[in-house]
Amino acid sequence: MSDSAAPQTVGGVLTENLWHSNPIFMQVLGICSALAVTNLLVNTAIMSVGVIFVTMMSNLTVSILKSLFPRKVRMIVQVLIIAFYVIIVDIVLRAYLPDIHEALGPYVGLIITNCIIMGRAEAFAQSNGPLLSMWDGITSGAGYMGVLMTIAFFRELLAFGTLFGFTVMPAGFTPWVLMAMPPSAFFFLGIIIWIGKTIMYRQQEAAA
Amino acid sequence: MNPPDIGLFSLFFASIFTSNILLANFLGMCSFVAISKDMKSSNGLGLAVTVVLTITAAVNWIILHHVLIPLDLLYLRFIIFIIVIAAMVQILEMIIDRVSQKLYITLGIFLPLITVNCAILGVSLFVEIRDYGFTQTLVYGFGSGLGWWIAIMALSAIRKKTERTKTVPAGLQGSGLTMITIGLMAMAFIGFQGMLAVQ
């Protein structure tokens, strides 16, 4: 969170989480588990929905239960709450989307250590009401999803010539193998951070 | 239960270079980006990660194969793994505090960070998915830790140089440039892939 007074309105939380303190390009949080799945749009979408669900529900739960557990053990309680929801996501994926579950591999479990979820629980849900915390979870997750989907869009397009599995590139298109490999995710993330920050500096200058 | 047929040496080499836990699997990024500003801290964190990674990979393997699988409680593994990691970090912190005050001051602040380092949980989950045997797990855990250590040291050395240049555009400074640097490093590490590939 920035040092400005915490935005406690529904709209304030929305713009804050989608743009001003977007978890990825302003705070560089939670990229661990997610970059690995950004080579296909479908995987990224499923993964992001999982993250949104977990952030939303864990924020809600932490906010409701926050007065029940002592401050000293709050970290471990938060981790357990998050792990509980991740297990639900894992079981649901395994039951209904076994192929995608297979493709995501360990990264579903790694939602637990996604810093965004822990960060939102600690920074927002600890000091706000349940419904607003839930909304904060949804919007943080959505800001995260936006960046990841952008990366995945370019990676899938350039690496396989497809979008959501449908071929969109002309027949003569040569797949760009590097785009399917890890370095491209770092490059795209770097570029997105660059563009995002540059626009933000412009806005600040215009405002000043 | 047939552990995959990978020689221990190749596994060790692969976990450091070709499938570097950070550059190929994107694990442990959060603390990686935050800490790599400073070389001394990078070194301390790298050491701590290596130690914790080796121990937790082994402990989680034992729990997985001797408790969770016999009792058919596999769906509890996320919770159990994360508790083991948190407990191990806590125990290690107490032991280091007793044994070496100097080491405790060096590592002290990094240990709590490790609990939420994705690399630790990631290795335990990879071990489960790839069905490694016990020795393989030990080697893989240790190798991954070393790989992470090498990566963070290399990055912090590069960042030290890039931070002095004045020509970087304002928007790219900091995390943006770091990401692109990591991308270039990842490309360099991919170069090792011709030597052996272990997935």
Side-chain angles (χ1 to χ4, degrees):
Chain A
M1 297 295 278
S2 54
D3 48 1
S4 60
Q8 307 300 26
T9 59
V10 172
V13 168
L14 180 71
T15 51
E16 188 72 16
N17 284 335
L18 283 185
W19 182 245
H20 297 292
S21 37
N22 181 298
I24 294 197
F25 64 75
M26 288 319 287
Q27 309 180 41
V28 203
L29 284 183
I31 41 184
C32 338
S33 53
L35 274 183
V37 300
T38 52
N39 54 358
L40 289 173
L41 273 168
V42 178
N43 292 356
T44 314
I46 301 283
M47 180 79 181
S48 307
V49 170
V51 170
I52 292 177
F53 170 77
V54 176
T55 324
M56 173 180 92
M57 294 311 288
S58 64
N59 258 9
L60 175 72
T61 317
V62 167
S63 180
I64 292 173
L65 298 179
K66 62 180 182 268
S67 52
L68 292 180
F69 45 83
R71 274 193 76 76
K72 266 195 155 172
V73 296
R74 72 184 191 285
M75 289 294 217
I76 192 77
V77 175
Q78 286 168 3
V79 170
L80 290 181
I81 291 171
I82 295 167
F84 169 74
Y85 289 113
V86 172
I87 289 176
I88 293 178
V89 171
D90 186 59
I91 292 175
V92 169
L93 279 185
R94 187 181 302 221
Y96 294 104
L97 298 163
D99 296 342
I100 290 186
H101 184 268
E102 183 86 1
L104 293 177
Y107 294 101
V108 178
L110 285 168
I111 297 177
I112 298 175
T113 49
N114 188 320
C115 330
I116 293 178
I117 301 174
M118 195 79 178
R120 295 326 290 173
E122 180 69 17
F124 199 93
Q126 277 290 341
S127 48
N128 284 288
L131 282 179
L132 201 58
S133 298
M134 200 168 153
W135 177 241
D136 177 77
I138 298 173
T139 49
S140 291
Y144 177 77
M145 184 174 187
V147 176
L148 288 189
M149 290 301 275
T150 315
I151 298 178
F153 175 85
F154 287 110
R155 283 186 75 188
E156 186 176 340
L157 188 69
L158 296 171
F160 304 104
T162 58
L163 289 176
F164 288 105
F166 299 107
T167 312
V168 289
M169 287 303 225
F173 173 73
T174 314
W176 191 357
V177 181
L178 184 68
M179 285 297 131
M181 297 212 273
S184 67
F186 290 118
F187 290 139
F188 275 119
L189 186 59
I191 292 167
I192 287 179
I193 293 174
W194 184 7
I195 296 172
K197 276 195 170 171
T198 309
I199 296 174
M200 205 164 294
Y201 287 143
R202 292 258 168 83
Q203 284 180 342
Q204 280 168 2
E205 269 169 31
Chain B
M1 218 44 66
N2 294 319
D5 187 25
I6 307 168
L8 290 182
F9 182 75
S10 350
L11 185 64
F12 183 63
F13 193 79
S15 57
I16 297 181
F17 293 108
T18 56
S19 346
N20 186 294
I21 191 83
L22 188 110
L23 298 169
N25 294 318
F26 308 95
L27 297 179
M29 289 289 300
C30 301
S31 41
F32 185 73
V33 173
I35 301 291
S36 63
K37 278 182 202 130
D38 176 46
M39 268 186 94
K40 217 171 163 188
S41 315
S42 304
N43 198 15
L45 186 64
L47 175 64
V49 165
T50 311
V51 173
V52 175
L53 202 48
T54 317
I55 298 174
T56 53
V59 173
N60 279 341
W61 187 91
I62 296 171
I63 291 180
L64 179 72
H65 286 268
H66 294 282
V67 180
L68 294 184
I69 291 181
L71 293 180
D72 203 16
L73 288 173
L74 202 55
Y75 60 89
L76 276 181
R77 68 194 186 285
F78 296 155
I79 284 191
I80 303 287
F81 284 175
I82 199 87
I83 292 175
V84 167
I85 292 167
M88 277 299 135
V89 169
Q90 201 77 59
I91 292 171
L92 204 69
E93 200 177 342
M94 290 193 284
I95 293 176
I96 295 176
D97 189 21
R98 272 290 173 79
V99 176
S100 159
Q101 206 64 44
K102 210 176 140 201
L103 191 64
Y104 183 72
I105 293 165
T106 328
L107 286 185
I109 46 165
F110 303 116
L111 283 170
L113 270 179
I114 288 181
T115 314
V116 288
N117 189 323
C118 341
I120 315 281
L121 182 63
V123 163
S124 292
L125 293 176
F126 272 127
V127 160
E128 183 229 324
I129 287 175
R130 296 180 190 165
D131 237 341
Y132 287 147
F134 185 68
T135 334
Q136 282 173 324
T137 303
L138 264 184
V139 169
Y140 180 68
F142 182 60
S144 299
L146 275 186
W148 201 88
W149 194 354
I150 290 173
I152 195 170
M153 284 310 285
L155 180 70
S156 66
I158 297 173
R159 280 186 80 169
K160 218 175 168 181
K161 296 274 182 202
T162 53
E163 259 157 32
R164 283 204 220 127
T165 53
K166 299 263 179 342
T167 47
V168 182
L172 189 59
Q173 270 168 23
S175 47
L177 187 62
T178 307
M179 280 302 143
I180 292 181
T181 315
I182 300 174
L184 291 171
M185 281 172 64
M187 276 176 79
F189 273 68
I190 279 182
F192 288 109
Q193 227 152 37
M195 299 169 77
L196 78 165
V198 176
Q199 267 312 316

